[in-house]
């Protein structure tokens, strides 16, 4: 918010004091929270007569808390991936941890806010999410990326070849990251969600295999493990092509009986003609697709990706205070505002004046007390406060 003040000051100085007076950063933040709370409280009005789906997920720890979000999206796939302005915020809740009963309660609270049940709920494969949706009795889709990543992990996590190859890729990074040869080092492998983010280093491995004969003698010596694992690299490349193709179909074209048939054809092409590992992976994917499509009617096309809520978490984590003791604060109300105003249609239709006049600072405090918990910074201040 201080950057906003700086920008307004530059504009003011450049255009002969056009604003006359610049609001302080606290005032601007309060305006953001007021509009965010207004949108959050009214977001369900437009869903009363429409078919919608819920996407629900919990964040990693923020301070001492976990943030649970529930957003609504159109139940029918839009023939493209979901954008921020396709979602409506249904629920923002925090807790030290979430169990199945707590998740179920939040999903049902969100449905009650809309006035009718969602067509289905999308979550990742976490046990707490599975139990939560199961307790509600609502239809359930598992996120396609998390699911395929889970099958990859089951297949390769304990494979000696996979473990050894990952170690061989990692070793040069520690020895050569400051050497001239560093320009050829492999991409960083993620520790968390590694099996959902394998494309970069698999593509790197394949390209290194293709150009290996053109490398210098020193480079060949460092990357000698590449041709030694040529067969395994080709296997992983075929596997990743299959995974990426399935994700592309489901995210861009939707989850339907027609598209599931295409996905199974891709599995047959890339996996079921391969080795034992690939066949095992292909069978798991086919079983998953068969089970997931059961709740989709003949001509319906569903969403089955929770990428959008992951992106929303990312937006908040990028903008929130870097002080981990802060936890989740009322600044979280920036998210409903962000999704609402991302396109010009939303900006032109939204009545800022009405929100700023009708939502009071007291309303933000009431919402915060009802939905958020005291963060560690506030507890620290209270504990260390001087006593008279």
């Amino acid at each position: 918010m201080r950057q906003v003040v700086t920008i307004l000051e530059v504009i003011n100085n450049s255009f002969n004091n056009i604003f006359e007076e610049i609001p302080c950063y606290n005032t601007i933040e309060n305006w953001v929270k007021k509009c965010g709370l207004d949108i959050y409280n009214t977001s369900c009005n437009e869903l009363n007569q429409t078919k919608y789906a819920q996407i629900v997920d919990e964040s990693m720890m923020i301070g001492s808390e976990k943030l649970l979000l529930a957003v609504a999206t159109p139940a029918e796939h839009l023939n493209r991936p979901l954008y921020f302005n396709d979602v409506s915020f249904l629920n923002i809740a925090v807790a030290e941890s979430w169990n199945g009963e707590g998740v179920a309660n939040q999903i049902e609270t969100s449905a009650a806010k809309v006035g009718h049940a969602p067509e289905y709920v999308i979550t990742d494969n976490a046990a707490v999410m599975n139990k939560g949706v199961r307790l509600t009795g609502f239809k359930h889709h598992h996120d396609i990326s998390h699911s395929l990543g889970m099958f990859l992990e089951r297949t390769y996590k304990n494979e000696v070849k996979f473990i050894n190859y990952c170690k061989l890729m990692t070793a040069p990074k520690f020895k050569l990251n400051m050497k001239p040869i560093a320009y050829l080092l492999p991409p960083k492998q993620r520790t968390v969600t590694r099996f959902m983010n394998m494309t970069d280093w698999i593509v790197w491995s394949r390209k290194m295999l293709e150009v290996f004969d053109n490398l210098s003698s020193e480079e060949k010596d460092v990357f000698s493990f590449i041709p030694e694992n040529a067969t395994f690299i080709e296997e992983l490349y075929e596997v990743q092509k299959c995974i990426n193709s399935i994700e592309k179909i489901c995210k861009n074209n939707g989850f339907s009986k027609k598209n599931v048939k295409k996905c199974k054809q891709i599995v047959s092409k890339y996996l079921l003609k391969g080795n034992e590992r690939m066949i095992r992976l292909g069978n798991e994917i086919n079983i998953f697709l068969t089970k997931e499509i059961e709740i989709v009617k003949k001509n319906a096309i569903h969403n089955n990706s929770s990428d959008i809520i992951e992106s929303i978490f990312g937006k908040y984590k990028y903008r929130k205070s870097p002080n981990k003791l802060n936890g989740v604060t009322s600044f979280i109300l920036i998210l409903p505002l962000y999704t609402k105003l991302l396109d010009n249609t939303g900006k032109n239709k939204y009545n800022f004046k009405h929100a700023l006049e009708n939502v009071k600072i007291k309303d933000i405090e009431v919402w915060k007390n009802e939905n958020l918990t005291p963060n560690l910074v506030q507890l620290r201040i209270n504990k260390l406060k001087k006593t008279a």
Side-chain angles (χ1 to χ4, degrees), residues 18 159 230:
I18 190 173
E159 284 288 327

Side-chain angles (χ1 to χ4, degrees), residues 311-365:
S311 298
I312 290 171
F313 280 130
K315 290 293 179 185
Y316 177 66
K317 290 175 181 177
Y318 177 75
R319 286 168 170 77
K320 75 177 183 65
S321 168
N323 186 349
K324 293 182 179 179
L325 294 178
N326 272 318
V328 181
T329 68
S330 56
F331 187 67
I332 191 77
L333 291 171
I334 192 175
L335 293 180
L337 181 65
Y338 180 83
T339 57
K340 180 73 172 180
L341 305 183
L342 198 59
D343 67 341
N344 289 328
T345 303
K347 293 173 188 173
N348 294 334
K349 287 184 177 180
Y350 185 63
N351 191 337
F352 289 95
K353 184 173 184 293
H354 178 271
L356 295 176
E357 289 177 346
N358 287 275
V359 179
K360 312 299 182 187
I361 297 296
K362 180 180 68 175
D363 298 328
I364 297 173
E365 288 299 313

